[in-house]
Amino acid sequence: FQRLFATESTAERVRAAEPTGFDAALWRELIAIDAPFLRLSEEAGGSGMGLFDACLMMEEAGRKLAPVPLAEAVAALRLLGELGGAVAQEWIEKVRDGETILALALRQTVAGEAQLCPGAAVASGIVSFDGKAVVIEVPTSPVEAPHTLGGAALGVYVPGAGERHVIASGEKASAAWAAAIEEWKLLMASALIGLAQQGLAMASEYAAEREAFGQPIGAYQGIGHPLADDVINADGGRLLLWQTLRAVADQHAEAGAMISQVFWWANRTATTAVAHALHTFGGYGLTEEYDIQLYHRRAKAWGLALGDPQQELVRAGRRQLLGEHASLPDVGTLAIDFEPPTGGEALATETRALFAQVIDPQKHVLHDHSFESHAWDVHHALGEARLLFPAWPQEWGGRGADADAVRASHAVWQEVGYAPPSTSVTRLVGDAVMLFGTQELKEEVLPDFGRGRSTACLGYTEPSCGSD
């Protein structure tokens, strides 16, 4: 999908698809490889793949701003396959012709009450739920396509004005439709994360080549720090999305709240990240010739199809704190988890035993992550036991321990409540010396660091703009 969208969803193609936001040729390419049918069960003629796979696809679609209603089609086709029946199967087969497009109404419909619907501007049928039944409504006249800046083929859908095909009714239909909306949120969160990451990549590349006052502009904190924060937020959003999928797969009590949270977070991150990217380009960012403005507009617009994303955070609160029910999609196969790996128990036990010997709650400052909580007697004892930096080689005062053992040992520090920053700062300096220091420097300082005989501090000197 990365190769496909890089080839078939270029900036030129994205521009050509405006203002509606639909590229018919790209849609046919996706139909040819069964992309919209990724989540449809094999029994219904689809690929039967998991939601994790679909999210990876949507991340790449978002990275290249693919101007097709892909998330809507994936969720709608999955819904039809789950409900089944002759009418649903007939529409599934229609979509295969490359000309029939299904949109998904994101809110429960009321006859005559218009709602904005992504993909409806080009849709042959709109899958919706009226409180009683899931239906496909075929517009009798072209759906109004307002001129927008978001490129999502938004249409003004007025329920009840077209030809209705009932798919299913009752509690099963209601729950399946609600789960499809939750699936759409996860798919769009993926697209927004991909969008944010690509926008940041573009800004970083520009900041590395554009110079001001003899320096690349990325060297200035006012440019680099906001982008660095955004990178962390985008990467964190991706991990939160994966963790949410794991929670849904496990039917975790907070899974519904997490879906709302990650949708809100992805919208917030994309909006902020691309705004900073736009600012990085300066005046160029405001011109239509530069691609970053394409990302800026879509970061704002995509999530608005469901309403103000901030309201999704309110929904998360209702789900988590008030027990509001959420219908969860079936995520399918998911080969990822967030449980700590096993291993390292022996080192953890040894670390716990040493703390029991040397920690005096009446004497030592615990649960206070400040430099004042550093205690030399504890530091010396940990160093002599080679437990300060167990990942370090033995020659520098460590154990040469693997990552699982190190994690287990460090978890004991948090468990006990002894975690002065002086130790982590010394580790940071020691790691840098280990990587970049001369042999003479390594021999001079690393054994004392590792055995707890000395600590390190950090000094930041920045040319022409002060120092810490």
Side-chain angles (χ1 to χ4, degrees):
F1 281 112
Q2 188 178 65
R3 291 194 299 269
L4 172 70
F5 289 121
T7 303
E8 303 296 335
S9 187
T10 61
E12 292 74 23
R13 293 272 293 271
V14 172
R15 282 188 171 87
E18 291 187 327
T20 302
F22 179 67
D23 185 327
L26 174 58
W27 178 253
R28 288 190 292 270
E29 289 277 351
L30 292 169
I31 290 292
I33 61 170
D34 279 353
F37 304 94
L38 196 71
R39 288 277 289 146
L40 187 64
S41 68
E42 292 183 8
E43 294 77 10
S47 302
M49 298 184 77
L51 187 50
F52 183 79
D53 302 292
C55 285
L56 293 181
M57 174 181 70
M58 288 306 304
E59 186 177 314
E60 297 305 324
R63 205 181 297 277
K64 292 299 182 180
L65 308 180
V68 287
L70 185 55
E72 295 76 25
V74 169
L77 287 166
R78 164 78 180 177
L79 174 60
L80 295 185
E82 184 174 347
L83 293 176
V87 176
Q89 195 61 43
E90 178 186 347
W91 275 91
I92 290 171
E93 294 307 316
K94 282 183 178 181
V95 173
R96 295 188 184 281
D97 65 14
E99 305 299 326
T100 302
I101 300 165
L102 283 179
L104 179 67
L106 301 178
R107 288 177 293 283
Q108 184 173 314
T109 60
V110 177
E113 188 174 299
Q115 62 171 274
L116 282 174
C117 179
V122 295
S124 310
I126 300 170
V127 181
S128 62
F129 178 68
D130 61 7
K132 296 180 180 179
V134 172
V135 305
I136 296 178
E137 185 163 344
V138 179
T140 54
S141 59
V143 174
E144 179 190 348
H147 185 102
T148 73
L149 300 178
L154 280 169
V156 180
Y157 169 45
V158 183
E163 177 186 327
R164 285 162 52 90
H165 300 263
V166 176
I167 303 299
S169 59
E171 291 185 6
K172 180 183 178 182
S174 175
W177 176 80
I181 301 305
E182 299 302 305
E183 179 159 334
W184 179 86
K185 293 177 191 176
L186 291 166
L187 294 171
M188 286 309 300
S190 302
L192 285 162
I193 289 167
L195 180 155
Q197 290 177 328
Q198 182 64 23
L200 290 169
M202 293 161 65
S204 299
E205 181 179 355
Y206 182 77
E209 64 184 30
R210 177 63 186 265
E211 292 192 358
F213 307 108
Q215 297 285 338
I217 62 173
Y220 296 105
Q221 289 185 0
I223 297 290
H225 283 197
L227 294 179
D229 287 342
D230 294 329
V231 168
I232 292 169
N233 289 339
D235 287 351
R238 195 175 197 234
L239 289 171
L240 177 59
L241 176 74
W242 294 358
Q243 191 172 29
T244 301
L245 293 173
R246 182 72 263 169
V248 175
D250 295 340
Q251 297 289 297
H252 193 282
E254 294 185 357
M258 292 175 70
I259 293 175
S260 292
Q261 288 168 343
V262 74
F263 182 77
W264 167 78
W265 182 261
N267 276 275
R268 176 183 180 272
T269 297
T271 300
T272 303
V274 183
H276 288 154
L278 192 80
H279 297 163
T280 301
F281 279 87
Y284 289 140
L286 299 176
T287 64
E288 292 187 354
E289 288 80 5
Y290 274 68
D291 294 342
I292 194 63
Q293 51 84 22
L294 298 171
Y295 287 78
H296 180 63
R297 292 192 271 120
R298 284 153 183 79
K300 292 277 189 181
W302 282 357
L304 289 174
L306 189 64
D308 183 356
Q310 192 72 15
Q311 291 304 308
E312 203 62 33
L313 194 60
V314 177
R315 181 174 287 109
R318 293 202 305 266
R319 289 176 173 180
Q320 185 164 331
L321 304 176
L322 302 180
E324 183 178 285
H325 174 72
S327 294
L328 302 178
D330 180 358
V331 302
T333 303
L334 182 64
I336 187 172
D337 68 72
F338 285 81
E339 293 300 316
T342 57
E345 289 82 1
L347 192 62
T349 299
E350 184 181 344
T351 306
R352 191 175 292 108
L354 181 62
F355 273 125
Q357 292 177 15
V358 300
I359 287 289
D360 180 355
Q362 303 300 318
K363 173 184 175 183
H364 298 116
V365 179
L366 303 179
H367 303 290
D368 178 7
H369 292 232
S370 68
F371 286 94
E372 285 70 27
S373 63
H374 172 81
W376 274 113
D377 55 341
V378 177
H379 197 77
H380 286 151
L382 289 164
E384 287 303 313
R386 298 176 179 266
L387 290 173
L388 279 173
F389 315 115
W392 285 12
Q394 293 190 14
E395 64 178 312
W396 305 134
R399 295 285 190 96
D402 63 24
D404 292 338
V406 172
R407 176 202 55 77
S409 178
H410 285 169
V412 175
W413 290 56
Q414 299 297 324
E415 173 189 311
V416 171
Y418 181 74
S422 54
T423 306
S424 57
V425 170
T426 303
R427 181 187 303 114
L428 175 63
V429 173
D431 287 345
V433 170
M434 217 175 297
L435 285 170
F436 306 112
T438 63
Q439 187 63 26
E440 181 183 8
L441 181 62
K442 293 176 186 178
E443 293 173 356
E444 180 180 349
V445 301
L446 290 178
D448 283 350
F449 288 166
R451 301 304 291 271
R453 293 189 287 264
S454 65
T455 60
C457 66
L458 293 170
Y460 296 103
T461 300
E462 302 163 46
S464 305
C465 56
S467 64
D468 294 333

